[in-house]
Amino acid sequence: MLVKQASLSESARLLALEDGGLMTTAFDKDLDGLTSLVSHTLKVPVALISLVDQHRQFFKSQCGLPEPWASRRETPLSHSFCQHVVVSGEPFIVNDARVHPLVLDNLATPDIGVIAYAGVPIIGADDYVLGSLCAIDTVPREWKPSDIELLRAFSLQVSTYTQLHARSIRLAKELAQAKGRAAERQATVRFNVHDLRTPLAAMLSAMDLVGMLGPLSPDQARILAMGKRNGTELVNLVNDMLDIDGVEQRGEAALDRAPVESRKLVTRALDQVRALACANGVSLSEEQGSAPPLVMADENKIVRVLVNLLANGIKFTKKDGEVSVRTHGGQDGMVHFAVTDTGIGIAEGADIFEEGVRIDEHASSSQSSGLGLAYCKRIVKAHGGQIDFTSNPGQGSVFTFSLPADDRNSSSQ
């Protein structure tokens, strides 16, 4: 393996050590097993995985090192043989440190008892030598070529470990930064979307005032009605985005549940979509029993669910088509709602309850936001219910959802 030769203080090499967090991490049982294996195989009292910066050597793993060095996990460079492996990029072999010209004055000999030393490079992700895998004896020793080859083989495993570890740390940092940027963008979008409601409300109020200024020609009335209708759609879109964002921020929907008649929910929803149905030439109908069941629900949020389902049916149903809503209590302790339309239908397998997925993939953003059904799913699920649909492309769809019935349904029977 080709390595980049560098001094101990080379900034790129130090950055490789820092980015990987290699000199601040705890002992690793896998690496401890490897140093133990080196000690046993080469029959030496001490084996180390030593990482070296410009001031110290840090023992990522050790076997047999005496105290207090084993607990300290480091020494200054005055006690380091491994620094020579880093600087040369080659194995450093010492048979007797007391007579070797590079280390005869090294304090590791009198303080730690290092007499014989054999160390091979540990290579980081950027091909810099980060440290050494070394075997140490307390007596003079003639190292065999097979000893060095065995150390090389083990060092490849250590090098792979350090490279993967550094890469995982780097990816974790990049992921954290990406999440931070995403959160910042999301907050900016959320604030901007929230602020959209003020000019939209002002625009709709101005349109109401225009209608009060005096008689309008048929064309003026039609254009004004179209403007109000589109403005209302924009408000609904903004509300969808804010509601879904609110659910995501909390992790689940915050519900204000109370007993409410299913008929009231349907009536409120139908009132909100009648103008849209009239403009599109679509008829609305409802079907409920004489004693409409009570549900335990957040009234405003379930009305929004019904409005979304009804509005979708109206938008994608041709003129003279029909959208209906049916409610009935079941034997399963749930109240079931069904919104049926005679619209374009939905392709089989479409995952339309996921955010950004539209009923009609060719529809413009003014026809479908891709948010409403995601909101419906989250709200119904938060209530403990289920939502689903069946469809025949070109003939229409049926959206069904269920909500827990209020206990007073059974007591009133």
Side-chain angles (χ1 to χ4, degrees):
M1 178 183 294
L2 295 176
V3 299
K4 295 179 181 177
Q5 291 213 240
S7 67
L8 296 180
S9 59
E10 168 64 42
S11 59
R13 193 188 76 85
L14 295 176
L15 185 62
L17 283 169
E18 181 181 347
D19 280 353
L22 294 171
M23 299 185 72
T24 58
T25 51
F27 284 121
D28 185 291
K29 63 179 181 180
D30 294 327
L31 293 182
D32 290 346
L34 190 145
T35 51
S36 177
L37 184 61
V38 169
S39 173
H40 176 77
T41 304
L42 293 183
K43 296 180 172 55
V44 291
V46 178
L48 303 174
I49 294 174
S50 175
L51 304 173
V52 184
D53 65 15
Q54 74 273 44
H55 302 300
R56 63 183 176 129
Q57 62 179 4
F58 173 78
F59 304 133
K60 179 67 178 172
S61 175
Q62 65 84 23
C63 176
L65 196 65
E67 294 291 354
W69 314 104
S71 296
R72 291 179 183 176
R73 297 189 64 192
E74 65 177 55
T75 72
L77 294 183
S78 59
H79 294 66
S80 172
F81 284 30
C82 296
Q83 61 182 306
H84 298 291
V85 177
V86 174
V87 172
S88 67
E90 298 289 341
F92 182 53
I93 310 301
V94 177
N95 295 330
D96 189 339
R98 296 168 299 183
V99 296
H100 194 287
L102 285 180
V103 293
L104 59 86
D105 294 326
N106 195 291
L107 296 180
T109 299
D111 291 350
I112 306 177
V114 179
I115 300 298
Y117 172 95
V120 296
I122 295 171
I123 313 300
D126 297 319
D127 295 332
Y128 285 104
V129 180
L130 303 183
S132 169
L133 169 65
C134 60
I136 295 172
D137 210 334
T138 55
V139 295
R141 174 169 177 159
E142 290 287 336
W143 298 99
K144 302 175 184 177
S146 59
D147 296 335
I148 310 308
E149 287 307 308
L150 187 143
L151 282 173
R152 284 184 186 274
F154 283 134
S155 74
L156 287 177
Q157 298 180 47
V158 181
S159 296
T160 299
Y161 171 93
T162 58
Q163 291 169 19
L164 291 176
H165 181 78
R167 192 172 304 164
S168 67
I169 294 293
R170 189 176 304 170
L171 288 174
K173 290 180 179 178
E174 292 175 356
L175 179 60
Q177 292 170 353
K179 286 182 176 179
R181 291 192 296 268
E184 186 175 337
R185 285 195 300 269
Q186 185 180 31
T188 301
V189 170
R190 186 164 61 252
F191 295 147
N192 290 339
V193 169
H194 184 274
D195 289 344
L196 279 175
R197 292 199 291 193
T198 299
L200 284 173
M203 180 184 72
L204 290 173
S205 297
M207 290 181 182
D208 288 335
L209 289 174
V210 169
M212 297 169 59
L213 291 177
L216 301 176
S217 69
D219 284 342
Q220 290 172 333
R222 179 176 57 81
I223 293 172
L224 181 61
M226 181 175 62
K228 291 178 67 174
R229 185 166 63 250
N230 289 333
T232 301
E233 287 298 300
L234 281 173
V235 171
N236 289 337
L237 173 57
V238 169
N239 287 335
D240 278 347
M241 295 174 72
L242 290 174
D243 281 338
I244 289 176
D245 181 72
V247 171
E248 290 179 339
Q249 293 299 310
R250 291 184 296 268
E252 60 180 16
L255 303 178
D256 183 16
R257 285 194 273 198
V260 59
E261 284 190 358
S262 56
R263 173 177 289 171
K264 182 181 180 182
L265 297 171
V266 172
T267 299
R268 283 189 57 191
L270 288 173
D271 285 344
Q272 293 187 39
V273 299
R274 288 192 192 282
L276 179 63
C278 182
N280 286 24
V282 174
S283 64
L284 292 175
S285 63
E286 61 176 304
E287 179 184 342
Q288 295 199 40
S290 57
L294 293 169
V295 294
M296 280 297 294
D298 185 316
E299 181 177 338
N300 290 330
K301 287 183 170 61
I302 295 303
V303 169
R304 289 292 308 283
V305 169
L306 283 165
V307 167
N308 271 305
L309 298 179
L310 289 165
N312 277 339
I314 293 168
K315 291 174 187 176
F316 299 109
T317 295
K318 294 180 180 179
K319 186 177 179 180
D320 298 327
E322 181 181 357
V323 174
S324 64
V325 56
R326 178 176 180 270
T327 309
H328 69 280
Q331 298 298 318
D332 55 357
M334 307 292 282
V335 176
H336 301 274
F337 296 77
V339 176
T340 303
D341 65 64
T342 57
I344 62 174
I346 303 167
E348 184 178 354
D351 199 2
I352 58 173
F353 292 108
E354 292 302 313
E355 186 174 337
V357 178
R358 296 173 177 171
I359 291 176
D360 180 3
E361 62 182 10
H362 303 296
S364 66
S365 58
S366 64
Q367 289 178 297
S368 175
S369 67
L371 297 173
L373 291 178
Y375 172 79
C376 293
K377 178 181 178 180
R378 293 175 192 230
I379 295 301
V380 171
K381 184 178 179 181
H383 278 80
Q386 299 289 330
I387 187 167
D388 205 349
F389 76 97
T390 57
S391 183
N392 290 315
Q395 298 181 36
S397 305
V398 180
F399 281 82
T400 58
F401 69 92
S402 57
L403 298 175
D406 183 65
D407 292 339
R408 280 174 284 185
N409 286 324
S410 56
S411 64
S412 64
Q413 294 176 353

